[in-house]
Amino acid sequence: MKKIAFGCDHVGFILKEEILTHLAQRGIEVLDKGTWSGERTDYPRYASAVAQAVVAGEADGGILICGTGVGISITANKFAGIRAVVCSEPYSAQLSRQHNDTNVLAFGSRVVGLELAKMIVDAWLDAKFEGGRHLARVEAIKAIEMRDD
Ligand code: RB5
């Protein structure tokens, strides 16, 4: 992934700034969707902005941070075409790309420290969807998403 849409709430703001530095060191372009300070705000707004950017193809993927990563990933997953995962360790981040073709990564600033967060980000960015037997499963997820019942 060369370009990442990034979003966080006020709880994730400090960690976001640190992860942005890490992404810059990796040469990854960032579309910064906020928030831009520690002032109290609400995570659905930033999850929506990132999800819409990814669905529109403005970014190759998205990264989201809130206190736990839970609320912000739940919100992102409400958008058709988004497969968001919340991770607190690198193994699930890697497998979520390889098997589930996730296009949004979330984690919690109250859950993981900076070094672990960087490992999670790197594992997710470096892994590629394997296709094969996993493709039909991801297609089945998309079919559920498009159902009309
Ligand atoms: C904000 O207090 C907190 O609820 C939010 O950052 C996140 O953890 C929600 O899932």
Side-chain angles (χ1 to χ4, degrees), residues 9 11 16 23-25 31 45 56-57 61 63-64 70 73 79 83 89 105 117-120 129 136-137 144-145 148:
D9 70 357
V11 183
K16 172 191 144 187
L23 292 177
Q25 285 165 351
L31 200 53
R45 174 175 161 191
I63 298 180
L64 296 168
V70 173
S73 59
F79 288 79
R83 289 176 300 286
E89 37 72 31
L105 170 69
K118 287 195 285 192
M119 290 172 73
I120 292 167
F129 182 50
R137 295 163 184 164
I144 291 167
E145 193 172 60
D148 186 18

PDB file of all heavy atoms in Angstrom, residues 9 11 16 23-25 31 45 56-57 61 63-64 70 73 79 83 89 105 117-120 129 136-137 144-145 148:
ATOM      1  N   ASP A   9      -9.808   9.424  16.868  1.00  0.00           N
ATOM      2  CA  ASP A   9     -10.514  10.380  17.727  1.00  0.00           C
ATOM      3  C   ASP A   9      -9.498  11.031  18.666  1.00  0.00           C
ATOM      4  O   ASP A   9      -8.286  10.831  18.526  1.00  0.00           O
ATOM      5  CB  ASP A   9     -11.698   9.715  18.448  1.00  0.00           C
ATOM      6  CG  ASP A   9     -11.261   8.716  19.520  1.00  0.00           C
ATOM      7  OD1 ASP A   9     -10.042   8.495  19.681  1.00  0.00           O
ATOM      8  OD2 ASP A   9     -12.149   8.147  20.189  1.00  0.00           O
ATOM      9  N   VAL A  11      -8.742  10.396  21.670  1.00  0.00           N
ATOM     10  CA  VAL A  11      -7.979   9.442  22.493  1.00  0.00           C
ATOM     11  C   VAL A  11      -6.805   8.867  21.691  1.00  0.00           C
ATOM     12  O   VAL A  11      -5.768   8.514  22.237  1.00  0.00           O
ATOM     13  CB  VAL A  11      -8.897   8.309  23.010  1.00  0.00           C
ATOM     14  CG1 VAL A  11      -8.133   7.368  23.915  1.00  0.00           C
ATOM     15  CG2 VAL A  11     -10.100   8.885  23.742  1.00  0.00           C
ATOM     16  N   LYS A  16      -1.564   8.611  16.906  1.00  0.00           N
ATOM     17  CA  LYS A  16      -1.651   8.879  15.459  1.00  0.00           C
ATOM     18  C   LYS A  16      -0.456   9.688  14.986  1.00  0.00           C
ATOM     19  O   LYS A  16       0.172   9.350  13.973  1.00  0.00           O
ATOM     20  CB  LYS A  16      -2.934   9.656  15.141  1.00  0.00           C
ATOM     21  CG  LYS A  16      -3.010  10.153  13.703  1.00  0.00           C
ATOM     22  CD  LYS A  16      -4.140  11.139  13.505  1.00  0.00           C
ATOM     23  CE  LYS A  16      -3.761  12.216  12.538  1.00  0.00           C
ATOM     24  NZ  LYS A  16      -4.759  13.278  12.436  1.00  0.00           N
ATOM     25  N   LEU A  23       5.003   6.094   9.286  1.00  0.00           N
ATOM     26  CA  LEU A  23       4.585   5.912   7.883  1.00  0.00           C
ATOM     27  C   LEU A  23       5.435   6.781   6.954  1.00  0.00           C
ATOM     28  O   LEU A  23       5.812   6.339   5.859  1.00  0.00           O
ATOM     29  CB  LEU A  23       3.101   6.236   7.721  1.00  0.00           C
ATOM     30  CG  LEU A  23       2.127   5.268   8.410  1.00  0.00           C
ATOM     31  CD1 LEU A  23       0.689   5.749   8.228  1.00  0.00           C
ATOM     32  CD2 LEU A  23       2.275   3.847   7.881  1.00  0.00           C
ATOM     33  N   ALA A  24       5.741   7.985   7.385  1.00  0.00           N
ATOM     34  CA  ALA A  24       6.588   8.872   6.570  1.00  0.00           C
ATOM     35  C   ALA A  24       7.964   8.241   6.381  1.00  0.00           C
ATOM     36  O   ALA A  24       8.531   8.282   5.278  1.00  0.00           O
ATOM     37  CB  ALA A  24       6.703  10.240   7.238  1.00  0.00           C
ATOM     38  N   GLN A  25       8.481   7.629   7.444  1.00  0.00           N
ATOM     39  CA  GLN A  25       9.800   6.968   7.345  1.00  0.00           C
ATOM     40  C   GLN A  25       9.752   5.792   6.372  1.00  0.00           C
ATOM     41  O   GLN A  25      10.747   5.447   5.750  1.00  0.00           O
ATOM     42  CB  GLN A  25      10.253   6.498   8.735  1.00  0.00           C
ATOM     43  CG  GLN A  25      10.741   7.647   9.609  1.00  0.00           C
ATOM     44  CD  GLN A  25      10.860   7.277  11.085  1.00  0.00           C
ATOM     45  OE1 GLN A  25      10.428   6.203  11.509  1.00  0.00           O
ATOM     46  NE2 GLN A  25      11.438   8.173  11.866  1.00  0.00           N
ATOM     47  N   LEU A  31      -3.326  10.395   3.715  1.00  0.00           N
ATOM     48  CA  LEU A  31      -4.456  11.305   3.583  1.00  0.00           C
ATOM     49  C   LEU A  31      -5.000  11.470   5.001  1.00  0.00           C
ATOM     50  O   LEU A  31      -5.636  10.555   5.531  1.00  0.00           O
ATOM     51  CB  LEU A  31      -5.481  10.616   2.673  1.00  0.00           C
ATOM     52  CG  LEU A  31      -6.555  11.394   1.957  1.00  0.00           C
ATOM     53  CD1 LEU A  31      -5.972  12.546   1.155  1.00  0.00           C
ATOM     54  CD2 LEU A  31      -7.327  10.446   1.041  1.00  0.00           C
ATOM     55  N   ARG A  45     -17.181   9.995  13.029  1.00  0.00           N
ATOM     56  CA  ARG A  45     -16.874  10.986  11.990  1.00  0.00           C
ATOM     57  C   ARG A  45     -15.580  10.628  11.248  1.00  0.00           C
ATOM     58  O   ARG A  45     -15.512  10.709  10.010  1.00  0.00           O
ATOM     59  CB  ARG A  45     -16.743  12.342  12.695  1.00  0.00           C
ATOM     60  CG  ARG A  45     -16.300  13.467  11.846  1.00  0.00           C
ATOM     61  CD  ARG A  45     -16.360  14.744  12.677  1.00  0.00           C
ATOM     62  NE  ARG A  45     -15.544  15.792  12.099  1.00  0.00           N
ATOM     63  CZ  ARG A  45     -15.256  16.923  12.719  1.00  0.00           C
ATOM     64  NH1 ARG A  45     -15.717  17.149  13.926  1.00  0.00           N
ATOM     65  NH2 ARG A  45     -14.530  17.827  12.124  1.00  0.00           N
ATOM     66  N   ALA A  56     -13.812   5.073  -2.217  1.00  0.00           N
ATOM     67  CA  ALA A  56     -13.706   5.913  -3.417  1.00  0.00           C
ATOM     68  C   ALA A  56     -12.392   5.705  -4.167  1.00  0.00           C
ATOM     69  O   ALA A  56     -12.197   6.265  -5.244  1.00  0.00           O
ATOM     70  CB  ALA A  56     -13.842   7.382  -3.024  1.00  0.00           C
ATOM     71  N   GLY A  57     -11.477   4.936  -3.580  1.00  0.00           N
ATOM     72  CA  GLY A  57     -10.190   4.695  -4.238  1.00  0.00           C
ATOM     73  C   GLY A  57      -9.200   5.834  -4.071  1.00  0.00           C
ATOM     74  O   GLY A  57      -8.178   5.882  -4.757  1.00  0.00           O
ATOM     75  N   GLY A  61      -5.711   1.959   1.400  1.00  0.00           N
ATOM     76  CA  GLY A  61      -6.220   1.366   2.631  1.00  0.00           C
ATOM     77  C   GLY A  61      -6.346   2.438   3.690  1.00  0.00           C
ATOM     78  O   GLY A  61      -6.004   3.600   3.444  1.00  0.00           O
ATOM     79  N   ILE A  63      -6.105   3.415   8.112  1.00  0.00           N
ATOM     80  CA  ILE A  63      -5.721   3.079   9.485  1.00  0.00           C
ATOM     81  C   ILE A  63      -6.489   3.996  10.424  1.00  0.00           C
ATOM     82  O   ILE A  63      -6.610   5.206  10.181  1.00  0.00           O
ATOM     83  CB  ILE A  63      -4.194   3.244   9.702  1.00  0.00           C
ATOM     84  CG1 ILE A  63      -3.422   2.279   8.789  1.00  0.00           C
ATOM     85  CG2 ILE A  63      -3.842   2.982  11.172  1.00  0.00           C
ATOM     86  CD1 ILE A  63      -1.899   2.360   8.914  1.00  0.00           C
ATOM     87  N   LEU A  64      -7.042   3.387  11.488  1.00  0.00           N
ATOM     88  CA  LEU A  64      -7.889   4.103  12.434  1.00  0.00           C
ATOM     89  C   LEU A  64      -7.436   3.836  13.862  1.00  0.00           C
ATOM     90  O   LEU A  64      -7.076   2.697  14.194  1.00  0.00           O
ATOM     91  CB  LEU A  64      -9.339   3.641  12.291  1.00  0.00           C
ATOM     92  CG  LEU A  64     -10.035   3.926  10.960  1.00  0.00           C
ATOM     93  CD1 LEU A  64     -11.344   3.149  10.862  1.00  0.00           C
ATOM     94  CD2 LEU A  64     -10.288   5.433  10.814  1.00  0.00           C
ATOM     95  N   VAL A  70     -12.295  -0.350  18.845  1.00  0.00           N
ATOM     96  CA  VAL A  70     -13.559  -1.060  18.635  1.00  0.00           C
ATOM     97  C   VAL A  70     -14.599  -0.173  17.945  1.00  0.00           C
ATOM     98  O   VAL A  70     -15.110  -0.510  16.871  1.00  0.00           O
ATOM     99  CB  VAL A  70     -14.108  -1.611  19.969  1.00  0.00           C
ATOM    100  CG1 VAL A  70     -15.500  -2.200  19.780  1.00  0.00           C
ATOM    101  CG2 VAL A  70     -13.158  -2.674  20.523  1.00  0.00           C
ATOM    102  N   SER A  73     -13.653   0.813  14.359  1.00  0.00           N
ATOM    103  CA  SER A  73     -13.697  -0.284  13.375  1.00  0.00           C
ATOM    104  C   SER A  73     -15.140  -0.710  13.104  1.00  0.00           C
ATOM    105  O   SER A  73     -15.489  -1.018  11.953  1.00  0.00           O
ATOM    106  CB  SER A  73     -12.856  -1.478  13.834  1.00  0.00           C
ATOM    107  OG  SER A  73     -13.298  -1.976  15.073  1.00  0.00           O
ATOM    108  N   PHE A  79     -19.640   0.499   6.103  1.00  0.00           N
ATOM    109  CA  PHE A  79     -19.559   0.957   4.710  1.00  0.00           C
ATOM    110  C   PHE A  79     -19.305  -0.231   3.781  1.00  0.00           C
ATOM    111  O   PHE A  79     -18.372  -1.012   4.004  1.00  0.00           O
ATOM    112  CB  PHE A  79     -18.429   1.982   4.556  1.00  0.00           C
ATOM    113  CG  PHE A  79     -18.753   3.306   5.187  1.00  0.00           C
ATOM    114  CD1 PHE A  79     -18.635   3.482   6.559  1.00  0.00           C
ATOM    115  CD2 PHE A  79     -19.224   4.358   4.413  1.00  0.00           C
ATOM    116  CE1 PHE A  79     -18.965   4.695   7.154  1.00  0.00           C
ATOM    117  CE2 PHE A  79     -19.555   5.574   4.998  1.00  0.00           C
ATOM    118  CZ  PHE A  79     -19.432   5.739   6.370  1.00  0.00           C
ATOM    119  N   ARG A  83     -13.532  -3.809   4.792  1.00  0.00           N
ATOM    120  CA  ARG A  83     -13.268  -4.937   5.690  1.00  0.00           C
ATOM    121  C   ARG A  83     -12.230  -4.435   6.695  1.00  0.00           C
ATOM    122  O   ARG A  83     -11.037  -4.408   6.418  1.00  0.00           O
ATOM    123  CB  ARG A  83     -12.768  -6.164   4.911  1.00  0.00           C
ATOM    124  CG  ARG A  83     -13.862  -6.817   4.056  1.00  0.00           C
ATOM    125  CD  ARG A  83     -13.346  -7.953   3.214  1.00  0.00           C
ATOM    126  NE  ARG A  83     -12.301  -7.518   2.298  1.00  0.00           N
ATOM    127  CZ  ARG A  83     -12.533  -6.793   1.183  1.00  0.00           C
ATOM    128  NH1 ARG A  83     -13.769  -6.450   0.850  1.00  0.00           N
ATOM    129  NH2 ARG A  83     -11.534  -6.426   0.407  1.00  0.00           N
ATOM    130  N   GLU A  89      -2.226  -7.252  18.197  1.00  0.00           N
ATOM    131  CA  GLU A  89      -0.954  -7.961  17.981  1.00  0.00           C
ATOM    132  C   GLU A  89      -0.736  -8.145  16.467  1.00  0.00           C
ATOM    133  O   GLU A  89      -1.694  -8.115  15.696  1.00  0.00           O
ATOM    134  CB  GLU A  89      -0.900  -9.298  18.753  1.00  0.00           C
ATOM    135  CG  GLU A  89      -2.201 -10.083  18.836  1.00  0.00           C
ATOM    136  CD  GLU A  89      -2.588 -10.713  17.532  1.00  0.00           C
ATOM    137  OE1 GLU A  89      -1.683 -11.068  16.749  1.00  0.00           O
ATOM    138  OE2 GLU A  89      -3.801 -10.841  17.289  1.00  0.00           O
ATOM    139  N   LEU A 105      -7.219  -1.063   8.941  1.00  0.00           N
ATOM    140  CA  LEU A 105      -6.642  -1.566  10.183  1.00  0.00           C
ATOM    141  C   LEU A 105      -6.994  -0.602  11.312  1.00  0.00           C
ATOM    142  O   LEU A 105      -6.851   0.612  11.147  1.00  0.00           O
ATOM    143  CB  LEU A 105      -5.112  -1.639  10.060  1.00  0.00           C
ATOM    144  CG  LEU A 105      -4.329  -1.917  11.347  1.00  0.00           C
ATOM    145  CD1 LEU A 105      -4.579  -3.337  11.838  1.00  0.00           C
ATOM    146  CD2 LEU A 105      -2.843  -1.657  11.134  1.00  0.00           C
ATOM    147  N   ALA A 117       2.283  -0.970  18.343  1.00  0.00           N
ATOM    148  CA  ALA A 117       1.457  -0.401  17.271  1.00  0.00           C
ATOM    149  C   ALA A 117       2.230  -0.377  15.954  1.00  0.00           C
ATOM    150  O   ALA A 117       1.688  -0.708  14.894  1.00  0.00           O
ATOM    151  CB  ALA A 117       0.999   1.003  17.648  1.00  0.00           C
ATOM    152  N   LYS A 118       3.500  -0.028  16.015  1.00  0.00           N
ATOM    153  CA  LYS A 118       4.312   0.001  14.786  1.00  0.00           C
ATOM    154  C   LYS A 118       4.480  -1.408  14.214  1.00  0.00           C
ATOM    155  O   LYS A 118       4.443  -1.597  12.993  1.00  0.00           O
ATOM    156  CB  LYS A 118       5.687   0.628  15.068  1.00  0.00           C
ATOM    157  CG  LYS A 118       5.622   2.138  15.262  1.00  0.00           C
ATOM    158  CD  LYS A 118       6.985   2.801  15.166  1.00  0.00           C
ATOM    159  CE  LYS A 118       7.821   2.582  16.377  1.00  0.00           C
ATOM    160  NZ  LYS A 118       9.025   3.427  16.424  1.00  0.00           N
ATOM    161  N   MET A 119       4.636  -2.389  15.078  1.00  0.00           N
ATOM    162  CA  MET A 119       4.742  -3.782  14.612  1.00  0.00           C
ATOM    163  C   MET A 119       3.439  -4.234  13.947  1.00  0.00           C
ATOM    164  O   MET A 119       3.442  -4.935  12.931  1.00  0.00           O
ATOM    165  CB  MET A 119       5.085  -4.717  15.778  1.00  0.00           C
ATOM    166  CG  MET A 119       6.485  -4.536  16.305  1.00  0.00           C
ATOM    167  SD  MET A 119       6.785  -5.469  17.819  1.00  0.00           S
ATOM    168  CE  MET A 119       6.882  -7.124  17.168  1.00  0.00           C
ATOM    169  N   ILE A 120       2.318  -3.837  14.527  1.00  0.00           N
ATOM    170  CA  ILE A 120       1.008  -4.177  13.957  1.00  0.00           C
ATOM    171  C   ILE A 120       0.856  -3.536  12.577  1.00  0.00           C
ATOM    172  O   ILE A 120       0.451  -4.183  11.605  1.00  0.00           O
ATOM    173  CB  ILE A 120      -0.128  -3.730  14.917  1.00  0.00           C
ATOM    174  CG1 ILE A 120      -0.092  -4.575  16.195  1.00  0.00           C
ATOM    175  CG2 ILE A 120      -1.485  -3.814  14.238  1.00  0.00           C
ATOM    176  CD1 ILE A 120      -0.948  -4.019  17.324  1.00  0.00           C
ATOM    177  N   PHE A 129      -2.878 -10.125   0.213  1.00  0.00           N
ATOM    178  CA  PHE A 129      -3.972 -11.093   0.101  1.00  0.00           C
ATOM    179  C   PHE A 129      -3.503 -12.281  -0.726  1.00  0.00           C
ATOM    180  O   PHE A 129      -2.943 -12.119  -1.818  1.00  0.00           O
ATOM    181  CB  PHE A 129      -5.185 -10.419  -0.537  1.00  0.00           C
ATOM    182  CG  PHE A 129      -6.377 -11.313  -0.654  1.00  0.00           C
ATOM    183  CD1 PHE A 129      -6.851 -12.045   0.430  1.00  0.00           C
ATOM    184  CD2 PHE A 129      -7.062 -11.430  -1.864  1.00  0.00           C
ATOM    185  CE1 PHE A 129      -7.957 -12.878   0.324  1.00  0.00           C
ATOM    186  CE2 PHE A 129      -8.169 -12.251  -1.985  1.00  0.00           C
ATOM    187  CZ  PHE A 129      -8.615 -12.972  -0.890  1.00  0.00           C
ATOM    188  N   ALA A 136     -13.013 -17.003  -2.455  1.00  0.00           N
ATOM    189  CA  ALA A 136     -14.448 -17.322  -2.424  1.00  0.00           C
ATOM    190  C   ALA A 136     -15.077 -16.862  -1.109  1.00  0.00           C
ATOM    191  O   ALA A 136     -16.234 -16.435  -1.077  1.00  0.00           O
ATOM    192  CB  ALA A 136     -14.649 -18.824  -2.609  1.00  0.00           C
ATOM    193  N   ARG A 137     -14.302 -16.938  -0.023  1.00  0.00           N
ATOM    194  CA  ARG A 137     -14.831 -16.516   1.275  1.00  0.00           C
ATOM    195  C   ARG A 137     -15.023 -15.003   1.328  1.00  0.00           C
ATOM    196  O   ARG A 137     -16.025 -14.516   1.855  1.00  0.00           O
ATOM    197  CB  ARG A 137     -13.876 -16.983   2.383  1.00  0.00           C
ATOM    198  CG  ARG A 137     -13.811 -18.495   2.461  1.00  0.00           C
ATOM    199  CD  ARG A 137     -12.614 -18.994   3.232  1.00  0.00           C
ATOM    200  NE  ARG A 137     -12.542 -20.458   3.193  1.00  0.00           N
ATOM    201  CZ  ARG A 137     -11.464 -21.155   3.512  1.00  0.00           C
ATOM    202  NH1 ARG A 137     -10.356 -20.544   3.893  1.00  0.00           N
ATOM    203  NH2 ARG A 137     -11.474 -22.478   3.459  1.00  0.00           N
ATOM    204  N   ILE A 144     -22.991 -11.081   1.049  1.00  0.00           N
ATOM    205  CA  ILE A 144     -23.812 -10.782   2.236  1.00  0.00           C
ATOM    206  C   ILE A 144     -24.028  -9.280   2.344  1.00  0.00           C
ATOM    207  O   ILE A 144     -25.133  -8.800   2.634  1.00  0.00           O
ATOM    208  CB  ILE A 144     -23.128 -11.342   3.504  1.00  0.00           C
ATOM    209  CG1 ILE A 144     -23.162 -12.873   3.492  1.00  0.00           C
ATOM    210  CG2 ILE A 144     -23.786 -10.797   4.771  1.00  0.00           C
ATOM    211  CD1 ILE A 144     -22.255 -13.534   4.517  1.00  0.00           C
ATOM    212  N   GLU A 145     -22.959  -8.548   2.068  1.00  0.00           N
ATOM    213  CA  GLU A 145     -23.019  -7.087   2.142  1.00  0.00           C
ATOM    214  C   GLU A 145     -24.036  -6.517   1.144  1.00  0.00           C
ATOM    215  O   GLU A 145     -24.698  -5.517   1.419  1.00  0.00           O
ATOM    216  CB  GLU A 145     -21.620  -6.570   1.806  1.00  0.00           C
ATOM    217  CG  GLU A 145     -21.343  -5.148   2.096  1.00  0.00           C
ATOM    218  CD  GLU A 145     -19.852  -4.876   1.892  1.00  0.00           C
ATOM    219  OE1 GLU A 145     -19.351  -5.080   0.764  1.00  0.00           O
ATOM    220  OE2 GLU A 145     -19.192  -4.487   2.839  1.00  0.00           O
ATOM    221  N   ASP A 148     -30.328  -8.060  -0.249  1.00  0.00           N
ATOM    222  CA  ASP A 148     -31.480  -7.157  -0.202  1.00  0.00           C
ATOM    223  C   ASP A 148     -32.617  -7.891   0.515  1.00  0.00           C
ATOM    224  O   ASP A 148     -33.515  -8.407  -0.132  1.00  0.00           O
ATOM    225  CB  ASP A 148     -31.855  -6.762  -1.640  1.00  0.00           C
ATOM    226  CG  ASP A 148     -32.956  -5.707  -1.661  1.00  0.00           C
ATOM    227  OD1 ASP A 148     -33.161  -5.068  -0.618  1.00  0.00           O
ATOM    228  OD2 ASP A 148     -33.591  -5.566  -2.713  1.00  0.00           O
TER     229      ASP A 148
END
